[in-house]
Amino acid sequence: MELKQLITFASAAETLNYSETAKRLHFTQPAISMQIQSLENELGQKLFAHIGRKMYLTKEGEILKLYIDEILTTVKCMQDHFEGLRKEKRSVIIAAHESFCVQIPQIMQSYIQDSETPDIVLRSCFSDEVISGMKENRYDIGIISESEEIAGIRTIKLAEKRVELVVAKTLALQMHPMELMCQLPYIEYRPSTEKYCKSIKKFIDQIGWNPGNRIVFESLLAIKNAILANIGIGVLTEDIIDEYQDENLYILTPPEVSVTTQISLMVTEEKMQDPVIQQLIDTIKKLWK
């Protein structure tokens, strides 16, 4: 018993006409007759009766129709389900610190042009949330400041960025750097990872600066905006200040001081085997500035 026989019987049971059934299913009428006869022989029952020119379902045919209708409904549900799975577009979740999120849309533009891409979901969150999300497998890719050694998770270096002490250029033109460092409050970033905190402390120690008043922010972009608004001095990485350096920001870092922080991509070893994830990571590595 084959599925095509069941489909043929169901159509014939509906039309009660072999010619009409043949037209519906794009078969010849003899082919329809042979399929019905084969089904009757297999079941050992007469499924249709003819009275004059009219065709009717026998009692056994009526019973078979109930079963076949149920089977074909199940087959249709199965086909619809798997067709939906085939068409369903997967999502790749990238979690990154807010200061890194600004680069990702430009990278995605190139990635989308180069391949048939999944949906990309970009989550902006602190580095500690990125790390915990990667451990719990809630994110596919994580981008953080510094690096973390975690079992089962690969850390890939994307870039190293200089740390700079910056102030609004309008203030730098009015006051000596030492006056600025003594008089203006330190707009401090409250980092979410211990390694980043150590990098900033190392930088401040190398400058020999002992900040007085502090204004604590949890957003690097907010710190940048506060500096531009002449509120105080801040410590930013070069990737954040590059866009504004020429016109609005002034670097106070002494030339002999050089401290960098690392930008790292995180991915589980298991997902590194996924061609889609691998292609996306290759694109990020290639285009990250």
Side-chain angles (χ1 to χ4, degrees):
M1 189 180 299
E2 298 179 5
L3 181 60
K4 67 177 182 179
Q5 290 176 305
L6 305 186
I7 294 173
T8 298
F9 173 83
S11 180
E14 181 181 348
T15 63
L16 295 175
N17 186 299
Y18 284 175
S19 296
E20 182 63 29
T21 300
K23 290 179 183 178
R24 281 192 179 187
L25 301 181
H26 305 289
F27 289 134
T28 63
Q29 184 172 335
I32 298 297
S33 298
M34 288 180 62
Q35 288 188 47
I36 297 299
Q37 185 177 0
S38 174
L39 193 58
E40 289 178 330
N41 291 339
E42 184 174 350
L43 296 174
Q45 301 291 336
K46 196 73 175 172
L47 302 176
F48 291 96
H50 295 81
I51 300 177
R53 294 194 172 199
K54 291 190 177 181
M55 187 168 72
Y56 299 90
L57 279 171
T58 63
K59 180 181 177 182
E60 293 76 16
E62 294 280 1
I63 294 172
L64 181 62
K65 184 177 183 301
L66 294 175
Y67 283 111
I68 289 181
D69 285 348
E70 186 174 345
I71 290 170
L72 294 182
T73 298
T74 301
V75 170
K76 181 65 166 58
C77 289
M78 178 188 68
Q79 291 173 332
D80 290 346
H81 177 82
F82 283 98
E83 178 67 11
L85 291 179
R86 187 183 68 81
K87 291 182 177 180
E88 185 177 328
K89 208 172 185 182
R90 64 176 292 185
S91 295
V92 174
I93 303 176
I94 302 175
H97 189 277
E98 58 158 1
S99 58
F100 305 142
C101 287
V102 294
Q103 286 203 50
I104 294 176
Q106 295 176 337
I107 293 173
M108 289 304 100
Q109 183 179 17
S110 175
Y111 176 67
I112 290 169
Q113 291 173 352
D114 290 344
S115 60
E116 292 185 9
T117 61
D119 290 335
I120 304 296
V121 179
L122 179 58
R123 299 269 170 83
S124 174
C125 46
F126 290 121
S127 290
D128 57 352
E129 164 60 20
V130 176
I131 294 168
S132 65
M134 292 299 298
K135 289 179 179 178
E136 297 166 5
N137 205 32
R138 289 186 281 113
Y139 307 135
D140 298 298
I141 295 173
I143 301 175
I144 62 170
S145 296
E146 298 301 341
S147 62
E148 293 288 331
E149 294 183 5
I150 302 170
I153 295 179
R154 189 180 304 186
T155 300
I156 301 169
K157 179 180 175 181
L158 292 177
E160 280 193 2
K161 298 296 182 180
R162 294 191 314 274
V163 177
E164 304 284 10
L165 184 67
V166 294
V167 70
K169 183 169 284 189
T170 52
L171 293 178
L173 295 175
Q174 298 172 19
M175 302 169 65
H176 188 274
M178 291 305 298
E179 290 181 298
L180 292 168
M181 294 169 67
C182 291
Q183 295 183 23
L184 292 179
Y186 171 36
I187 307 175
E188 181 182 5
Y189 174 60
R190 180 163 290 166
S192 55
T193 62
E194 184 178 351
K195 285 189 176 181
Y196 186 85
C197 182
K198 287 180 178 179
S199 296
I200 300 301
K201 185 178 185 305
K202 176 183 176 182
F203 174 73
I204 291 176
D205 289 344
Q206 285 192 15
I207 292 176
W209 181 35
N210 184 22
N213 295 333
R214 298 170 186 249
I215 303 173
V216 179
F217 282 17
E218 292 187 345
S219 164
L220 288 169
L221 297 180
I223 290 176
K224 177 201 70 180
N225 291 332
I227 294 170
L228 291 171
N230 298 336
I231 293 174
I233 297 176
V235 175
L236 298 174
T237 50
E238 60 179 304
D239 52 321
I240 297 177
I241 67 177
D242 277 349
E243 183 180 353
Y244 298 88
Q245 183 177 344
D246 292 341
E247 296 182 2
N248 300 307
L249 293 177
Y250 184 85
I251 295 177
L252 296 173
T253 310
E256 67 274 11
V257 174
S258 179
V259 173
T260 61
T261 64
Q262 180 173 312
I263 301 171
S264 301
L265 181 147
M266 305 175 71
V267 60
T268 64
E269 294 290 352
E270 180 183 354
K271 288 182 179 177
M272 274 296 292
Q273 310 308 313
D274 184 332
V276 172
I277 299 293
Q278 182 62 64
Q279 184 180 8
L280 180 53
I281 289 173
D282 289 344
T283 303
I284 293 173
K285 287 165 58 180
K286 178 182 176 182
L287 299 177
W288 194 272
K289 297 179 181 180

